[in-house]
Amino acid sequence: THSDETLSLKELAHRYGYSEFHFSRRFKELSGMAFRDYVRYRRLAFALRRVRDTRDGLLEIALDQGILFAGMDEAGRGPLCGNVVTACVIMPKEPLLEWVDDSKKLSPKRRDEMYDQIMEHALFVGIGEADPEEIDRVNILEATKNAMRRAAENCPASLYLIDALQGLGLNGEERGIIHGDAVCYSIAAASIIAKVTRDRQMEELDRLYPGYN
């Protein structure tokens, strides 16, 4: 499954009830590939995501030329409770954080780990929000755009890669990328920041108002 793709050997063995040794042997029997080779392939796929971002290698050129570009994503457009939260993130060329991926594919534990690593290494992180009152007043799409503008305030990027949206009026070129959090490294980083930030807000609300899960 998609979630299995981001798990370690130990985590996968535990999930399927094997020891690490027996899971590794069973994995090779079924796939024809040693698990360590699969991990190397998976790491390569993560690295290649940066080149696939705009389908023309623009980001690799931008990285080499020192052009700053930011990824942007949101969390909370679907739920009927809580704020919509957006993030704007500029990732450095190095280190390439292997587990940065669409936040929906990661376990809560992995998301928390990657949140900490992104916050440690990112060149810029901006977070913007729109509360339920604003959402009701202007609609969820416009509220999301407003939150993204807030997240990008003071961002030094000249290129913005945005998950499925554009036309925000930011101070730089904007490119909307469909399923951006699944194919774009910097958008994936933003998706993790937005998701973890909103999840922590909802956990706090659950403590204040228990019973709604």
Side-chain angles (χ1 to χ4, degrees):
T1 66
H2 286 304
S3 60
D4 287 348
E5 293 175 0
T6 60
L7 297 179
S8 67
L9 173 61
K10 181 177 181 180
E11 290 168 329
L12 282 167
H14 178 74
R15 169 174 286 191
Y16 294 104
Y18 288 90
S19 68
E20 292 182 41
F21 172 78
H22 286 96
F23 178 85
S24 181
R25 186 169 67 179
R26 185 62 173 158
F27 183 92
K28 186 172 184 179
E29 289 174 356
L30 294 174
S31 68
M33 179 186 296
F35 189 83
R36 64 179 178 273
D37 294 331
Y38 165 72
V39 170
R40 292 192 190 103
Y41 169 82
R42 187 175 65 192
R43 287 175 177 166
L44 177 62
F46 275 104
L48 289 177
R49 180 177 293 113
R50 293 189 303 185
V51 181
R52 293 203 313 268
D53 282 347
T54 57
R55 300 186 283 290
D56 60 5
L58 171 64
L59 298 192
E60 199 67 16
I61 295 171
L63 286 167
D64 289 341
Q65 295 182 353
I67 298 171
L68 290 178
F69 60 89
M72 301 188 69
D73 201 4
E74 53 74 29
R77 285 183 68 182
L80 296 177
C81 179
N83 297 347
V84 60
V85 178
T86 66
C88 177
V89 178
I90 299 177
M91 295 298 289
K93 185 173 182 178
E94 299 294 342
L96 179 65
L97 304 180
E98 178 185 348
W99 297 104
V100 170
D101 201 352
D102 177 358
S103 62
K104 297 184 292 296
K105 294 181 180 179
L106 305 179
S107 68
K109 179 181 178 182
R110 183 74 72 186
R111 281 197 299 265
D112 284 340
E113 292 172 353
M114 296 318 303
Y115 174 94
D116 291 340
Q117 291 192 41
I118 293 166
M119 294 298 287
E120 177 182 353
H121 294 289
L123 303 179
F124 175 87
V125 176
I127 297 173
E129 301 182 26
D131 61 23
E133 290 75 15
E134 181 176 359
I135 295 169
D136 290 342
R137 186 174 68 252
V138 301
N139 74 51
I140 183 59
L141 176 59
E142 292 305 317
T144 300
K145 290 182 176 180
N146 289 341
M148 284 187 166
R149 294 181 187 108
R150 292 164 190 148
E153 287 181 3
N154 303 315
C155 179
S158 55
L159 171 63
Y160 295 87
L161 307 174
I162 308 166
D163 187 30
L165 293 177
Q166 55 187 8
L168 302 179
L170 303 179
N171 188 27
E173 181 184 352
E174 300 174 24
R175 290 201 175 195
I177 300 178
I178 303 300
H179 304 305
D181 51 1
V183 299
C184 174
Y185 178 69
S186 53
I187 294 178
S191 80
I192 292 170
I193 297 298
K195 172 68 172 168
V196 172
T197 299
R198 187 178 190 280
D199 282 354
R200 291 176 179 177
Q201 292 177 357
M202 297 308 296
E203 288 167 1
E204 178 60 24
L205 286 174
D206 185 58
R207 283 190 287 270
L208 294 173
Y209 306 101
Y212 294 93
N213 192 27

